[in-house]
Amino acid sequence: MSYSITVRSERFSFADLREVFAKANEDKSGDRLAGIAAGSEQERVAAKLVLADIPLADIVANPLIDPTQDEVSRLILATHDQAAFRPLAHLTVGELREYVLDEGQDSARLGALHWAIIPEVAAAVTKLMSNKDLVMAASKIRNITRCRNTMGQPGVLGIRVQPNHPADDLGGILLSAVDGLLFGCGDAVIGVNPATESVETVSRILHGLQRLIAAYDIPTQSCCLAHISTQLDSLERGAPVDLLFQSLAGTEAANASFGINLDMLGEGRERVLEHHRNREVAWVGDAVMYFETGQGSALSANAHHDVDQLTLEARTYGVARAFAPFLVNTVVGFIGPEYLYDERQIVRAGLEDHFMGKLLGLPMGCDVCYTNHAQADQNSADNLLLLLTAAGCNYFMGVPCADDVMLSYQSTSFHDALSARQLFGLRPAPEFLAWLEQMDIVRNGELMAADSPARQRLEGAVKRIA
């Protein structure tokens, strides 16, 4: 079906729904690279006007990527709750925007939409929202998950400690992890990106992190962010796996470029659940998956099917939610300026991703980051960090000095986490906060001094554990 509209005496035509979606998107360097972006602001506005009047039922009935050619499209249709969608089917995209932003909507009512809305519908409504709209709408939604602790409750801001090391030195990793713990970070996960993709390295990191967690009975999760197959091979050889990690994309071909498919994800989840049942650990829930995503990944694999990168990111969330993850993290800005050119585009993408993920039922976190050749700086990261904290983001990264020495990119620091919690009156996950108080790292809600006995005890433990 083609679409056309006249705006101030100028006629705009769009060949199909895919073109409307692409040209209604906010300006992104990735869409320009793909040759699908609006050619002018006038054309962008025209596409938004067309999109606002399209019924949701039309979007569901006309998949942007042929389900016979793409398993992600098939998954999206198979998991769509048609009964829950039926009361919404007559709404247009513009009317859905008004519904979501209505002051009477709360987390419970918006939560009822999770499986009624397919990712393409979430993407469509996002294209019509301002940055403020995205913050306001996302702040209403709470998606709570449980593994060794509980994440996502109102008033809680989690932090992933990211103690990467360029040589995968276990002592360096553990020292960095302890540094984060002493800043009250690490409740989301202690997650290491290994520099070397090998079963031996991944196993050594997983065993080391678990020795630290067990030695001090820390109510948190560990993860080594290697390829899913490497993690499962490590599990087979006896390594402890709390969370199974994988990067995801929004098309079958893009996921194939990562060396994964849906069956592999399902099998991996079942193996880790069985592993959890056989471990003597006090689990508070059975969410065992950790996914990372980011706008531009499908385009970088030449697997985007001429669909815009925002919509492909929404489809990625359609994959993620099928596996009930504990954490989902949009690594906004990491792929580079070819896809998100500058601060404006990075901020916009971060707010889009967070809102779409929350609307689709996911426990969304964000790596507020940028590469060193992007038109952004640490002030850019501060801006997005504060906007997403106001939007109710589940967690952020805690990287020493905000500078990842292994991945060579800029993120957010332990100090940034403290500032965000303090400014918005937020706290760590409840189980983790109780542990911080028990360890005298936090007293009466205040972080203890750097020379406290807790710091000395934990730093001494690193030498024994490493």
Side-chain angles (χ1 to χ4, degrees):
M1 178 186 295
S2 62
Y3 301 86
S4 61
I5 188 172
T6 300
V7 180
R8 292 187 176 180
S9 74
E10 186 173 359
R11 190 73 172 170
F12 295 93
S13 297
F14 308 97
D16 53 22
L17 194 59
R18 187 183 305 178
E19 186 176 5
V20 173
F21 267 60
K23 294 190 173 180
N25 202 18
E26 291 298 304
D27 188 33
K28 306 279 177 61
S29 54
D31 291 337
R32 290 190 186 185
L33 182 65
I36 60 175
S40 65
E41 287 302 315
Q42 291 90 336
E43 186 177 29
R44 192 184 327 281
V45 169
K48 287 178 183 287
L49 290 171
V50 168
L51 183 61
D53 288 336
I54 294 176
L56 305 186
D58 286 3
I59 297 174
V60 173
N62 295 278
L64 299 184
I65 301 177
D66 187 351
T68 66
Q69 305 295 320
D70 184 88
E71 69 173 358
V72 172
S73 293
R74 294 195 294 274
L75 175 68
I76 288 170
L77 294 177
T79 55
H80 184 213
D81 187 339
Q82 297 184 32
F85 175 68
R86 203 166 292 122
L88 305 174
H90 69 284
L91 295 179
T92 64
V93 177
E95 289 169 340
L96 178 62
R97 173 185 175 276
E98 298 303 314
Y99 181 88
V100 169
L101 290 172
D102 187 279
E103 291 182 2
Q105 304 294 0
D106 57 17
S107 184
R109 294 185 67 183
L110 292 176
L113 302 180
H114 289 338
W115 294 96
I117 290 178
I118 65 170
E120 288 84 350
V121 167
V125 72
T126 299
K127 295 170 189 291
L128 301 184
M129 298 174 78
S130 69
N131 287 6
K132 175 174 61 65
D133 292 341
L134 296 172
V135 171
M136 289 293 294
S139 70
K140 303 177 184 181
I141 306 172
R142 297 291 168 182
N143 298 326
I144 298 171
T145 55
R146 296 175 175 86
C147 185
R148 279 189 173 184
N149 61 23
T150 309
M151 292 295 301
Q153 312 96 312
V156 169
L157 174 60
I159 304 295
R160 168 190 159 186
V161 166
Q162 185 170 303
N164 295 344
H165 192 282
D168 289 328
D169 179 78
L170 187 57
I173 288 170
L174 294 177
L175 183 62
S176 181
V178 166
D179 192 26
L181 292 169
L182 290 167
F183 277 97
C185 301
D187 49 347
V189 63
I190 303 175
V192 177
N193 298 86
T196 305
E197 179 81 25
S198 72
V199 173
E200 291 73 19
T201 297
V202 170
S203 297
R204 179 163 46 84
I205 291 171
L206 287 171
H207 280 295
L209 293 176
Q210 285 300 315
R211 288 198 298 272
L212 174 63
I213 289 172
Y216 288 93
D217 197 23
I218 307 171
T220 191
Q221 301 69 222
S222 67
C223 185
C224 188
L225 285 72
H227 190 271
I228 184 173
S229 60
T230 308
Q231 295 170 81
L232 291 174
D233 285 346
S234 300
L235 175 64
E236 191 70 22
R237 297 190 190 185
V241 175
D242 289 349
L243 295 177
L244 185 64
F245 165 81
Q246 183 54 50
S247 295
L248 294 182
T251 70
E252 179 178 346
N255 282 324
S257 76
F258 291 155
I260 62 168
N261 57 43
L262 300 183
D263 287 343
M264 184 183 294
L265 295 174
E267 178 187 348
R269 179 173 182 270
E270 290 305 314
R271 287 178 62 183
V272 174
L273 284 170
E274 179 64 23
H275 168 66
H276 279 207
R277 288 190 285 268
N278 294 328
R279 285 174 64 187
E280 295 181 359
V281 173
W283 309 104
V284 299
D286 59 0
V288 300
M289 304 298 285
Y290 174 17
F291 295 128
E292 287 192 346
T293 72
Q295 290 191 30
S297 58
L299 176 58
S300 68
N302 195 28
H304 59 292
H305 299 271
D306 289 330
V307 175
D308 67 276
Q309 61 188 41
L310 181 154
T311 302
L312 292 172
E313 181 73 0
R315 286 169 53 89
T316 305
Y317 302 150
V319 176
R321 68 177 180 174
F323 299 96
F326 180 69
L327 304 171
V328 177
N329 176 36
T330 171
V331 193
V332 64
F334 181 76
I335 302 180
E338 298 82 4
Y339 307 96
L340 297 171
Y341 178 72
D342 56 12
E343 173 182 0
R344 180 178 180 179
Q345 293 185 14
I346 292 171
V347 167
R348 175 68 189 187
L351 297 178
E352 290 169 343
D353 295 354
H354 178 254
F355 166 71
M356 291 190 298
K358 292 284 265 312
L359 188 63
L360 292 167
L362 290 174
M364 289 302 297
C366 183
D367 188 348
V368 176
C369 64
Y370 58 96
T371 58
N372 290 315
H373 62 310
Q375 297 298 307
D377 57 23
Q378 211 60 35
N379 286 328
S380 311
D382 288 349
N383 292 341
L384 181 53
L385 174 75
L386 296 177
L387 285 168
L388 283 172
T389 305
C393 193
N394 278 27
Y395 70 101
F396 298 110
M397 302 298 108
V399 178
C401 299
D403 185 358
D404 193 298
V405 295
M406 193 280 283
L407 292 173
S408 297
Y409 80 117
Q410 310 305 310
S411 185
T412 51
S413 70
F414 307 140
H415 305 77
D416 296 330
L418 287 179
S419 297
R421 282 175 173 165
Q422 184 177 36
L423 185 60
F424 288 87
L426 303 174
R427 59 191 183 278
E431 301 91 341
F432 191 78
L433 178 58
W435 177 81
L436 291 171
E437 292 171 340
Q438 174 188 330
M439 292 294 293
D440 206 29
I441 297 171
V442 168
R443 186 184 299 170
N444 298 323
E446 298 292 330
L447 197 68
M448 297 299 290
D451 59 352
S452 71
R455 176 179 289 274
Q456 296 171 9
R457 289 196 305 271
L458 282 173
E459 289 179 346
V462 171
K463 297 178 181 178
R464 298 193 300 271
I465 294 167

